[in-house]
Short mmCIF file of all heavy atoms in Angstrom, two decimals:
data_model
loop_
_atom_site.label_atom_id
_atom_site.label_comp_id
_atom_site.label_asym_id
_atom_site.label_seq_id
_atom_site.Cartn_x
_atom_site.Cartn_y
_atom_site.Cartn_z
N TYR A 473 -202.31 58.03 -39.56
CA TYR A 473 -203.58 57.33 -39.82
C TYR A 473 -204.73 58.33 -39.99
O TYR A 473 -205.55 58.21 -40.93
CB TYR A 473 -203.84 56.37 -38.66
CG TYR A 473 -205.16 55.61 -38.78
CD1 TYR A 473 -205.34 54.67 -39.80
CD2 TYR A 473 -206.20 55.83 -37.88
CE1 TYR A 473 -206.54 53.98 -39.91
CE2 TYR A 473 -207.40 55.14 -38.00
CZ TYR A 473 -207.58 54.21 -39.02
OH TYR A 473 -208.76 53.54 -39.13
N ASN A 474 -204.81 59.33 -39.14
CA ASN A 474 -205.89 60.32 -39.23
C ASN A 474 -205.76 61.17 -40.50
O ASN A 474 -206.76 61.50 -41.16
CB ASN A 474 -205.87 61.23 -37.99
CG ASN A 474 -206.24 60.46 -36.74
OD1 ASN A 474 -206.98 59.48 -36.80
ND2 ASN A 474 -205.73 60.91 -35.59
N ALA A 475 -204.53 61.54 -40.86
CA ALA A 475 -204.34 62.34 -42.08
C ALA A 475 -204.76 61.58 -43.32
O ALA A 475 -205.40 62.14 -44.24
CB ALA A 475 -202.88 62.76 -42.18
N TYR A 476 -204.45 60.29 -43.37
CA TYR A 476 -204.84 59.50 -44.55
C TYR A 476 -206.35 59.37 -44.65
O TYR A 476 -206.95 59.47 -45.73
CB TYR A 476 -204.18 58.12 -44.48
CG TYR A 476 -204.45 57.28 -45.71
CD1 TYR A 476 -203.77 57.53 -46.90
CD2 TYR A 476 -205.40 56.25 -45.69
CE1 TYR A 476 -204.03 56.78 -48.04
CE2 TYR A 476 -205.65 55.50 -46.82
CZ TYR A 476 -204.96 55.76 -48.00
OH TYR A 476 -205.23 55.01 -49.12
N ARG A 477 -207.00 59.15 -43.50
CA ARG A 477 -208.46 59.02 -43.53
C ARG A 477 -209.11 60.34 -43.97
O ARG A 477 -210.12 60.35 -44.69
CB ARG A 477 -208.97 58.61 -42.15
CG ARG A 477 -208.56 57.18 -41.76
CD ARG A 477 -209.23 56.76 -40.48
NE ARG A 477 -210.67 56.72 -40.62
CZ ARG A 477 -211.53 56.44 -39.62
NH1 ARG A 477 -211.03 56.24 -38.40
NH2 ARG A 477 -212.83 56.41 -39.83
N GLN A 478 -208.56 61.45 -43.52
CA GLN A 478 -209.15 62.74 -43.91
C GLN A 478 -208.95 63.01 -45.40
O GLN A 478 -209.80 63.58 -46.08
CB GLN A 478 -208.51 63.87 -43.10
CG GLN A 478 -208.91 63.86 -41.62
CD GLN A 478 -208.20 64.94 -40.83
OE1 GLN A 478 -207.44 65.73 -41.41
NE2 GLN A 478 -208.46 64.97 -39.52
N SER A 479 -207.79 62.56 -45.91
CA SER A 479 -207.55 62.79 -47.34
C SER A 479 -208.39 61.91 -48.21
O SER A 479 -208.75 62.27 -49.34
CB SER A 479 -206.07 62.56 -47.65
OG SER A 479 -205.73 61.20 -47.41
N ARG A 480 -208.75 60.74 -47.75
CA ARG A 480 -209.54 59.80 -48.55
C ARG A 480 -211.00 59.77 -48.13
O ARG A 480 -211.79 59.01 -48.68
CB ARG A 480 -208.97 58.38 -48.37
CG ARG A 480 -207.57 58.21 -48.93
CD ARG A 480 -207.58 58.29 -50.44
NE ARG A 480 -206.25 58.05 -51.00
CZ ARG A 480 -206.02 57.95 -52.31
NH1 ARG A 480 -207.03 58.08 -53.16
NH2 ARG A 480 -204.80 57.76 -52.74
N GLY A 481 -211.31 60.51 -47.18
CA GLY A 481 -212.67 60.46 -46.67
C GLY A 481 -212.79 59.38 -45.63
O GLY A 481 -211.82 58.72 -45.24
N SER A 482 -213.95 59.19 -45.15
CA SER A 482 -214.19 58.18 -44.11
C SER A 482 -214.05 56.81 -44.72
O SER A 482 -214.77 56.46 -45.66
CB SER A 482 -215.59 58.38 -43.50
OG SER A 482 -215.81 57.39 -42.53
N LEU A 483 -213.08 56.03 -44.18
CA LEU A 483 -212.84 54.67 -44.66
C LEU A 483 -213.08 53.68 -43.52
O LEU A 483 -212.61 53.89 -42.40
CB LEU A 483 -211.40 54.53 -45.16
CG LEU A 483 -211.02 55.39 -46.39
CD1 LEU A 483 -209.55 55.25 -46.69
CD2 LEU A 483 -211.87 54.98 -47.60
N ASP A 484 -213.80 52.62 -43.85
CA ASP A 484 -214.04 51.56 -42.86
C ASP A 484 -213.42 50.27 -43.36
O ASP A 484 -213.47 49.97 -44.57
CB ASP A 484 -215.54 51.37 -42.63
CG ASP A 484 -216.19 52.58 -41.97
OD1 ASP A 484 -215.46 53.20 -41.13
OD2 ASP A 484 -217.34 52.89 -42.27
N LEU A 485 -212.84 49.53 -42.44
CA LEU A 485 -212.26 48.24 -42.79
C LEU A 485 -213.33 47.16 -42.77
O LEU A 485 -214.17 47.12 -41.86
CB LEU A 485 -211.15 47.86 -41.80
CG LEU A 485 -209.95 48.84 -41.72
CD1 LEU A 485 -209.00 48.38 -40.63
CD2 LEU A 485 -209.25 48.92 -43.06
N THR A 551 -206.13 50.71 -51.38
CA THR A 551 -206.67 51.55 -50.30
C THR A 551 -206.75 50.78 -48.99
O THR A 551 -206.36 51.27 -47.92
CB THR A 551 -208.07 52.08 -50.69
OG1 THR A 551 -207.98 52.79 -51.93
CG2 THR A 551 -208.61 53.01 -49.62
N GLN A 552 -207.21 49.56 -49.07
CA GLN A 552 -207.32 48.74 -47.86
C GLN A 552 -205.94 48.43 -47.27
O GLN A 552 -205.75 48.41 -46.06
CB GLN A 552 -208.07 47.44 -48.19
CG GLN A 552 -209.53 47.64 -48.55
CD GLN A 552 -210.34 48.13 -47.37
OE1 GLN A 552 -210.07 47.76 -46.23
NE2 GLN A 552 -211.34 48.98 -47.62
N VAL A 555 -204.65 51.58 -45.44
CA VAL A 555 -205.38 51.77 -44.17
C VAL A 555 -204.95 50.73 -43.15
O VAL A 555 -204.76 51.00 -41.96
CB VAL A 555 -206.90 51.75 -44.42
CG1 VAL A 555 -207.65 51.78 -43.10
CG2 VAL A 555 -207.33 52.90 -45.29
#
Side-chain angles (χ1 to χ4, degrees):
Y473 177 67
N474 293 332
Y476 184 76
R477 291 187 63 184
Q478 290 177 2
S479 64
R480 295 291 183 174
S482 179
L483 296 175
D484 293 326
L485 299 176
T551 304
Q552 292 293 325
V555 173

